[in-house]
Amino acid sequence: MLKTGISPKAHSLLNSIVKKLWIVLVSAFAGGLCTILALRVFMPPVFTAKASLAVHTQGVGSDYKTLTQTSEIANIFSEIFTDSSIKSMVFEKAGIEDFDGRMSSEVIENTNIIELRVSARDARSAYELLNSWLSVCSEVSGRVFDNANTVIIKEPASPLEPDNGFSAVYPVGAAVLSALLALGVVIFAFLSKNTLTAQEDFYDAV
């Protein structure tokens, strides 16, 4: 007879685990799937489309004076571009009544460059609204100052990935934990069953 070095009890435990391996696999799948669904509900993806504008002026002296003046004008434009009346114009141009997202304008420090950002639940909405915003900004900037306007230096592009990128760590971790929990239940059930059988055998012997 071939000796494997494995006790009968351990051999029985392994057989029990193999027979109920489907429970472990189903638990792992369910844990990972539930985690993915929960992330989609409580952490929906957010896409951000970006574009950059530069302020140009005419009839200004030195380069330093030009940069200083255009930087000041850029800050004024940045505040104007996020005004509620401007947003209303953007919504009208885009053909929407309201926007469930975020529009932000920021001047890069010590430059004449304005960054426009539109964040939305889907990439297409963010991209299309940003294009409408750029069109309105171009119209408005020409009316505010006689010698200053804005020029697009970075065209908008449709975002390919969400800002809060989906990480596989969470569902994989949940799947592993669910599998370990199911495995623990299988082992506990086997040990409990064998303990009760041993007790019955003992009472029968007595």
Side-chain angles (χ1 to χ4, degrees):
M1 183 177 177
L2 181 65
K3 294 183 178 180
T4 61
I6 302 177
S7 66
K9 187 174 182 180
H11 190 270
S12 299
L13 175 59
L14 289 176
N15 283 336
S16 179
I17 292 175
V18 171
K19 289 179 181 179
K20 297 180 179 179
L21 186 60
W22 66 273
I23 297 177
V24 177
L25 295 177
V26 169
S27 298
F29 177 77
L33 181 61
C34 289
T35 302
I36 291 174
L37 294 176
L39 289 174
R40 293 301 184 191
V41 172
F42 297 107
M43 294 178 60
V46 176
F47 295 86
T48 299
K50 306 174 185 178
S52 297
L53 301 173
V55 176
H56 286 185
T57 58
Q58 299 175 352
V60 183
S62 66
D63 293 340
Y64 176 77
K65 186 177 180 180
T66 300
L67 179 59
T68 301
Q69 184 174 357
T70 53
S71 180
E72 293 174 353
I73 295 175
N75 281 284
I76 296 173
F77 276 143
S78 181
E79 293 181 7
I80 294 174
F81 292 161
T82 52
D83 186 78
S84 58
S85 60
I86 298 297
K87 290 182 179 180
S88 297
M89 293 172 61
V90 175
F91 298 157
E92 183 178 354
K93 183 175 284 290
I96 59 176
E97 294 183 358
D98 198 5
F99 175 58
D100 183 21
R102 184 169 181 266
M103 299 170 62
S104 63
S105 173
E106 182 180 0
V107 178
I108 299 178
E109 189 175 0
N110 297 323
T111 70
N112 62 332
I113 299 174
I114 305 171
E115 282 192 344
L116 302 181
R117 300 186 181 190
V118 176
S119 299
R121 294 290 181 87
D122 64 276
R124 183 176 179 179
S125 296
Y127 174 72
E128 291 181 350
L129 191 65
L130 179 57
N131 276 301
S132 297
W133 195 10
L134 287 170
S135 178
V136 171
C137 289
S138 178
E139 296 173 7
V140 172
S141 62
R143 304 174 191 169
V144 179
F145 296 97
D146 294 333
N147 65 332
N149 62 350
T150 58
V151 178
I152 300 174
I153 60 173
K154 183 181 179 182
E155 294 285 347
S158 182
L160 301 177
E161 296 181 355
D163 302 338
N164 51 343
F166 180 78
S167 176
V169 173
Y170 299 111
V172 170
V176 171
L177 289 176
S178 298
L180 291 176
L181 180 61
L183 181 61
V185 171
V186 170
I187 295 174
F188 178 77
F190 173 83
L191 295 177
S192 299
K193 180 180 178 182
N194 277 267
T195 300
L196 290 174
T197 301
Q199 289 178 347
E200 290 174 358
D201 293 341
F202 173 75
Y203 291 136
D204 291 340
V206 172

